[in-house]
Amino acid sequence: MERLCYRSTRGEKGNIVSSEAILNGIAGDGGLYVPSIIPWIGMHDKEIAEVYKEDIGYKQLALEILGLYFIDFSRNELRDCIDKAYDSKFDTEEIAPLRKFGSEYYLELHHGPTLAFKDLALSILPHLMTTASRKLGIQKDIVILTATSGDTGKAALEGFSEVEGVKVIVFFPKNGTSEIQRKQMTAHDKVNGFACGVDGNFDDAQSGVKAVFTDKEFIKALEQNNYMMSSANSINIGRLFPQVVYYFYAYLRLLGSGEINYGDSINVAVPTGNFGDILAAYYAREMGLPIKKLICASNENNVLYDFLKTGRYDIQRRFVTTISPSMDILVSSNLERLLYLISSGNSIQTNEFMKQLKVTGKYEITRGMLDNLGCFYGGYADDIETRSTIKQVFNSCGYLIDPHTAVAYRVYRKYVEESGDSTKTIIVSTASPYKFTPAVMTSLDERYTGMDAFKLIDEMSRVSGTKIPDAIRGIQNKADIHTVVCSRTEIKKTIINILGI
Ligand SMILES: *Cc1c(COP(=O)(O)O)cnc(C)c1O
């Protein structure tokens, strides 16, 4: 049997093991690492499902799945990473509880320390990295550089905060996040974490950070100071594959509770920005998880909607600031992996599309590739629809969802109306409504308009009858520690200042 290894989507020569790919973050030619084969688990198989469905537990399942992708890690090394990641940082032992409201299932991925789904991956990535670094005998300190549309930043600061030999620097769009998201970052008070605002939107921050990764001169300067850099963005395989786990987990919960039978297919509806979360679902499907439709939900930045319909990816359009800021993205990095997969691993073609995107801001995939996208359904919801969805779901079943989850729900409804498909569907709930109090509360009642985001935390608790998560209790009283703002082109200089090199 072929041994799984990793290679670049852009055809760089040489295969590497997962620990190297996790540390490098991105390939030397600017491509993303992809596994040479996709392992098969096959949940159609009654015997396999039988073994797994009795509450296997999130951690055990993570061990089984990650063990297939990170094959150069020993089972003990992986178990250790998993134990450190999925502990009492999460406010429920289930880690990713599946809840039913109305006839929908919500996979709640916001029970971690920063109240967004990024915690599922960013609580384990630091441990995968330090283990990888030890395995490879690397003595250097690691600098984690990350652009964030709002949630990755705090999740990375938090995930790496207790990790020795690591510094984290996150760049967020100055006016692009919710007030509470921003406060979570600017008030971060652990010594190894730094946050910096960028004058621009997420794409500016992301392209600015990406440029640093291929800057030869800068890499050399880091080396001379005994640093190496890596990324905590969702392009890292150490983030991507931990996200595969919860799709299997959700399926097994449905099996275990008798909501579905062996072999039944499900749909998943995923609020999408950088295409990481839904790509993990695609990998799960390729591994044998019976997913019929991958419902790709965008907000008004609906590049992916157009792409899935026409095969044309075109970022030459207005960037819209919405109430679901973590999805305010035009350049979805992880889509590059999908292009590679649907072209049967054609790295020359993938490279060509990425070049076109850089030079002209657009590309168009082949007919054959488009035909391979049949398992996707693309849709989008604007802010007005998102708001009415929050209100409607709350009024009909007393369940308060955040704007990102609401986008997924709305697009799922559109899909059902168009297709008549009655397959059971999991709505991926990516954030707690407590991170977006003004948007959520004004959706319920206009009289909250203009009220302070932090004051609305208490009001949200009262109205919804839910407990204020510990993660944001009292956050308004914390001092802002990180107040630097730079332009896209000053990102490198800012990093140099922070590191003092
Ligand atoms: C990051 C994020 C998304 C988008 O996930 P991608 O993996 O970037 O597609 C959706 N919702 C929330 C709350 C997020 O933080």
Side-chain angles (χ1 to χ4, degrees), residues 265-295:
S265 289
I266 57 165
N267 296 326
V268 295
V270 188
T272 298
N274 226 352
F275 209 76
D277 205 1
I278 196 162
L279 184 72
Y282 183 79
Y283 271 103
R285 185 175 186 274
E286 294 289 295
M287 292 171 76
L289 190 67
I291 296 176
K292 183 168 155 193
K293 278 285 174 193
L294 298 148
I295 299 168

Side-chain angles (χ1 to χ4, degrees), residues 285-346:
R285 185 175 186 274
E286 294 289 295
M287 292 171 76
L289 190 67
I291 296 176
K292 183 168 155 193
K293 278 285 174 193
L294 298 148
I295 299 168
C296 176
S298 304
N299 62 25
E300 241 182 295
N301 296 292
N302 55 3
V303 196
L304 288 166
Y305 164 77
D306 288 340
F307 170 72
L308 290 170
K309 216 166 70 177
T310 64
R312 279 191 298 274
Y313 196 83
D314 187 351
I315 61 164
Q316 291 166 307
R317 60 180 77 204
R318 195 167 60 93
F319 182 97
V320 188
T321 301
T322 73
I323 58 168
S324 46
S326 303
M327 293 154 66
D328 289 348
I329 293 174
L330 294 179
V331 187
S332 300
S333 295
N334 271 296
L335 197 64
E336 180 170 347
R337 286 194 170 101
L338 186 71
L339 298 181
Y340 180 88
L341 291 167
I342 59 172
S343 65
S344 311
N346 189 334

Side-chain angles (χ1 to χ4, degrees), residues 97-110:
L98 185 71
R99 303 180 68 189
K100 187 174 186 186
F101 288 95
S103 53
E104 281 76 46
Y105 304 88
Y106 294 86
L107 180 60
E108 291 188 348
L109 301 179
H110 51 75

Side-chain angles (χ1 to χ4, degrees), residues 152-161 168 170 184-185 188 192-195:
T152 289
K154 177 61 176 172
L157 291 167
E158 200 57 41
F160 284 93
S161 71
V168 195
V170 305
Q184 283 184 306
M185 291 185 273
H188 183 78
N192 72 338
F194 307 87

Side-chain angles (χ1 to χ4, degrees), residues 123-252:
S123 55
I124 189 165
L125 179 69
H127 304 293
L128 294 172
M129 271 189 184
T130 48
T131 308
S133 158
R134 200 169 55 234
K135 290 169 75 61
L136 298 171
I138 290 168
Q139 307 286 336
K140 292 187 170 73
D141 281 0
I142 303 173
V143 181
I144 303 292
L145 299 179
T146 287
T148 177
S149 59
D151 288 322
T152 289
K154 177 61 176 172
L157 291 167
E158 200 57 41
F160 284 93
S161 71
E162 313 271 82
V163 183
E164 239 179 85
V166 179
K167 287 197 168 76
V168 195
I169 309 174
V170 305
F171 293 91
F172 62 90
K174 188 181 66 168
N175 299 319
T177 70
S178 85
E179 219 174 315
I180 293 173
Q181 285 177 314
R182 184 171 62 241
K183 186 74 175 179
Q184 283 184 306
M185 291 185 273
T186 56
H188 183 78
D189 58 3
K190 306 284 167 37
V191 289
N192 72 338
F194 307 87
C196 178
V198 174
D199 239 333
N201 59 38
F202 171 72
D203 290 321
D204 295 320
Q206 175 155 268
S207 66
V209 170
K210 257 192 163 175
V212 171
F213 273 94
T214 47
D215 186 323
K216 298 251 157 43
E217 201 183 311
F218 181 66
I219 294 171
K220 207 159 154 206
L222 282 180
E223 269 171 16
Q224 283 162 355
N225 288 276
N226 203 37
Y227 283 120
M228 65 173 289
M229 63 181 154
S230 191
S231 165
N233 272 106
S234 61
I235 49 176
N236 195 310
I237 60 159
R239 260 187 78 175
L240 180 60
F241 295 117
Q243 296 178 169
V244 171
V245 177
Y246 47 73
Y247 291 104
F248 280 92
Y249 186 75
Y251 188 83
L252 291 168

